[in-house]
């Protein structure tokens, strides 16, 4: 087992061990607490919170992917090229509008809970996927596209059989960036009562419990790192099948 | 048979192809030759409607090419381009199988056809079927490109400078392969090139294009001896046209009965090669050998020189 692999599996093991048996780690966090405060978050199940956060992020990413890849395909077709500036502006607004502000706007409209968080993460995650889809589709060599048309592929067949497979590594990279950014961003969802690790951090801030803050932050960070690593591995697999010469 | 009638392509106010009419006989090779910007590629691409004509029409075995959707038309027409355009994410076998798959051939027929073609192009299926294009040499990639174009047994094969990216030795081999394959399948080939030697070597008939117009479309020997236009004469090369004319005839065709003490040449060698051999050896005549190695006759310098005149 290589060094990278060892580190990868150790990190995953440690994270799972902490989420499933948090009690065992009490001695590690005890020095960070004062006046007999609990060293491990005790107002909810850490594993459930982590999974809830991951679920929210994945749902948002799935929606972002669908919309961003769809838009990316549309604006790279001759018929849709005129929508490029508009789409780009919309997607950029999604990225520059702070997620906290999106929450503030969304809560009066859809109420508290998961929904406003999903909306904020969806908007925030569009940009990397959209831009990478466009870059990927535009990077297809012109001779390959000409050959594809020359063999008698219709526009749709060419997109499905040639362009999307060739763009896939870049699209995956966009999805990975979007996911990783949003794993961290998702913690703010707890301010509007979405289930997630933000709850642990907020509880720590309210009771001046550094151990809680650290637990929420560490679990979120490790999830982001592992997700990044896992998706990067998947990308390399796909890229090997799509050698770019 | 391909009949091109009054074909014109305009982009805005520029006319790229100007009222071109020509007819390519079935089972023959027509070469379109011209300088860059002469409209030769555009003319070729209008045959399979990668470029839609502004006016005029193309008849394929009597049927107007506009009578079916363009992508369905292209599945019946092979198309090979410079730089091969292989799909980098698909294996050699998958690349070759592209058109049969689009046509929905049964899987076992596709497999048989792919192995057959790889065999014809000297690519051992066991070694190369699962390889990716970037793992092949330039010459191999080019052969896969032509194999892909021929996969669905098209009656017509269009080639746009297919050998342009190859070095001279591999190019000569690729040209021989093309001639052999054309004879074997009886495909009607239309090939675009800017290389006059290639045009004379491959073409049964050669069209010389300039500024969107076809100046002359005829047999190579006619282009050399009766150029219809000063530009055609310039393209075909005034200074070495006698040698080019010699290159069009083989020793076997020109040999007369008799024997000679001079060098021995193969019947498939061109008169140009025989003359060169005679110059080199200082002899005045050569023995022509058949494919079996037996003497088929002889050729002397005077007979060769006589064939270098119109």
């Amino acid at each position: 087992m290589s060094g990278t692999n060892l580190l990868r599996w150790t990190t995953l093991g440690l994270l799972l061990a902490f989420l499933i048996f948090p009690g065992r780690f009490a001695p590690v966090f005890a020095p960070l607490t004062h006046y007999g405060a609990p060293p491990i978050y005790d107002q909810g199940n850490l594993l459930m919170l982590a999974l809830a956060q991951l679920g929210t992020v994945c749902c948002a990413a799935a929606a972002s992917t669908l919309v961003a890849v769809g838009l990316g395909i549309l604006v790279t077709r001759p018929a849709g090229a005129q929508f490029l500036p508009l789409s780009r502006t919309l997607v950029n607004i999604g990225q520059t509008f702070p997620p906290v502000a999106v929450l503030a706007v969304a809560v009066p409209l859809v109420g508290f809970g998961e929904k406003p968080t999903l909306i904020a993460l969806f908007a925030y995650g569009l940009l990397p996927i959209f831009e990478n889809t466009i870059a990927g589709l535009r990077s297809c060599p012109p001779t390959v596209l000409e050959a594809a048309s020359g063999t008698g592929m219709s526009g749709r067949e060419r997109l499905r059989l040639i362009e999307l497979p060739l763009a896939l590594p870049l699209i995956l990279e966009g999805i990975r960036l979007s996911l990783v950014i949003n794993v961290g961003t998702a913690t703010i969802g707890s301010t509007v009562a979405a289930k997630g690790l933000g709850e642990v951090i907020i509880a720590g801030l309210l009771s001046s419990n550094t151990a809680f803050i650290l637990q929420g932050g560490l679990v979120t960070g490790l999830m982001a790192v592992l997700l990044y690593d896992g998706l990067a591995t998947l990308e390399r697999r796909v890229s090997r099948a799509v050698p770019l010469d | 048979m391909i009949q091109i009638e009054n074909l014109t392509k305009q982009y805005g106010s520029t006319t790229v192809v100007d009222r071109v009419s020509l007819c390519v006989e079935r089972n023959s090779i027509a070469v379109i030759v011209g300088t860059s910007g002469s409209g030769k590629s555009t003319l070729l691409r209008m045959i399979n409607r990668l470029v839609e004509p502004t006016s005029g029409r193309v008849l394929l075995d009597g049927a107007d090419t506009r009578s079916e959707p363009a992508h369905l038309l292209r599945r019946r027409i092979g198309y090979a381009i410079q730089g091969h355009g292989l799909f980098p994410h698909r294996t050699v076998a998958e690349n070759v199988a592209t058109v049969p798959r689009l046509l929905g051939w049964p899987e076992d027929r596709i497999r048989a056809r792919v192995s057959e073609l790889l065999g014809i192009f000297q690519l051992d299926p066991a070694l190369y079927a699962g390889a990716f294009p970037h793992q092949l040499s330039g010459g191999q990639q080019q052969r896969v490109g032509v194999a892909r174009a021929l996969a669905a047994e098209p009656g017509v094969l269009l080639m746009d400078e297919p050998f342009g990216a190859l070095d001279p030795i591999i190019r000569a081999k690729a040209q021989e392969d093309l001639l052999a394959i054309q004879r074997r399948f009886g495909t009607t080939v239309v090939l675009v090139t800017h290389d006059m030697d290639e045009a004379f070597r491959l073409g049964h008939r050669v069209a010389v294009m300039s500024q969107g117009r076809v100046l002359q479309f005829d047999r190579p020997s006619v282009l050399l001896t009766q150029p219809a236009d000063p530009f055609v004469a310039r393209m075909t090369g005034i200074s070495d046209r006698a040698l080019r004319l010699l290159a069009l005839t083989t020793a076997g065709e020109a040999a007369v009965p008799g024997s000679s003490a001079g060098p021995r040449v193969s019947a498939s060698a061109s008169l140009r090669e025989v003359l060169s051999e005679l110059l080199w050896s200082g002899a005045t005549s050569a023995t022509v050998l058949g494919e079996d190695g037996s003497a088929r006759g002889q050729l002397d310098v005077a007979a060769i020189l006589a064939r270098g005149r119109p």
Side-chain angles (χ1 to χ4, degrees), chain B:
Chain B
M1 191 167 70
I2 308 168
Q3 284 163 281
I4 296 172
E5 294 177 356
N6 258 320
L7 211 55
T8 298
K9 179 66 191 181
Q10 289 169 322
Y11 291 104
S13 59
T14 10
T15 305
V16 186
V17 172
D18 191 6
R19 287 164 289 156
V20 166
S21 296
L22 47 88
C23 177
V24 181
E25 294 297 327
R26 191 184 265 276
N27 303 346
S28 76
I29 301 182
V31 176
I32 305 171
V33 67
T35 49
S36 46
S38 60
K40 54 190 193 301
S41 285
T42 309
L43 175 60
L44 185 82
R45 290 152 57 95
M46 281 193 281
I47 298 176
N48 67 357
R49 289 175 60 198
L50 278 174
V51 173
E52 292 287 354
T54 308
S55 64
R57 58 179 194 163
V58 178
L59 302 179
L60 210 62
D61 292 327
D64 195 317
T65 51
R66 281 170 306 185
S67 58
E68 64 184 318
H71 66 279
L72 297 182
L73 169 76
R74 287 185 210 125
R75 292 177 190 177
R76 301 195 288 120
I77 300 178
Y79 185 58
I81 54 177
Q82 176 171 12
H84 61 74
L86 294 179
F87 307 137
H89 60 301
R90 296 181 151 206
T91 63
V92 167
E94 287 166 343
N95 263 288
V96 174
T98 304
V99 187
R101 285 247 156 78
L102 290 173
L103 291 170
W105 284 17
E107 222 27 64
D108 48 346
R109 185 176 169 203
I110 295 178
R111 254 197 311 278
R113 179 66 177 159
V114 169
S115 327
E116 182 195 359
L117 277 168
L118 290 181
I120 291 172
F121 284 92
Q122 298 118 46
L123 292 160
D124 181 0
L127 277 177
Y128 292 105
F132 284 94
H134 73 282
Q135 296 167 317
L136 307 181
S137 72
Q140 289 169 334
Q141 289 173 341
Q142 195 278 331
R143 299 209 296 270
V144 176
V146 180
R148 177 177 66 186
L150 290 170
E153 298 165 1
V156 174
L157 172 62
L158 306 180
M159 308 181 93
D160 194 350
E161 306 224 9
F163 311 127
L166 303 179
D167 66 58
I169 293 174
I170 297 178
R171 185 184 313 173
K173 172 87 175 74
Q175 291 167 343
E176 264 168 45
D177 288 349
L178 176 65
L179 287 172
I181 280 154
Q182 194 271 336
R183 276 193 294 269
R184 174 170 178 159
F185 294 119
T187 316
T188 307
V189 179
V190 182
L191 184 145
V192 160
T193 181
H194 61 259
D195 178 354
M196 207 70 212
D197 285 320
E198 181 164 278
F200 280 179
R201 187 147 181 230
L202 299 175
H204 297 126
R205 302 238 280 166
V206 175
V208 179
M209 265 190 100
S210 173
Q211 294 174 339
R213 311 218 55 175
V214 169
L215 302 175
Q216 193 170 6
F217 179 51
D218 218 317
R219 282 177 289 120
S221 59
V222 177
L223 288 185
L224 281 166
T225 53
Q226 298 154 43
D229 183 284
F231 182 82
V232 176
R234 257 208 330 280
M235 275 298 281
T236 51
I238 292 170
S239 60
D240 60 352
R241 58 187 171 189
L243 293 173
R244 288 203 155 144
L245 199 53
L246 288 182
L248 296 175
T249 312
T250 64
E253 288 162 357
V256 292
S259 63
S260 153
R264 290 132 72 91
V265 297
S266 136
S268 62
S270 73
L271 289 186
R272 181 180 180 155
E273 288 161 332
V274 177
L275 183 63
S276 171
E277 181 59 36
L278 290 177
L279 285 171
W280 195 256
S281 62
T284 54
S285 64
T287 307
V288 179
L289 300 181
E291 267 177 39
D292 53 357
S294 64
R296 265 179 54 178
Q298 60 106 19
L299 260 175
D300 59 28
V301 172
I304 295 174
L305 294 186
R307 289 203 176 240
R309 286 190 289 272

Side-chain angles (χ1 to χ4, degrees), chain A residues 40-63:
Chain A
I40 298 295
Y41 185 67
D42 54 358
Q43 294 155 35
N45 185 325
L46 278 173
L47 181 63
M48 287 305 137
L49 291 177
L51 288 178
Q53 179 162 337
L54 211 55
T56 310
V57 169
C58 288
C59 282

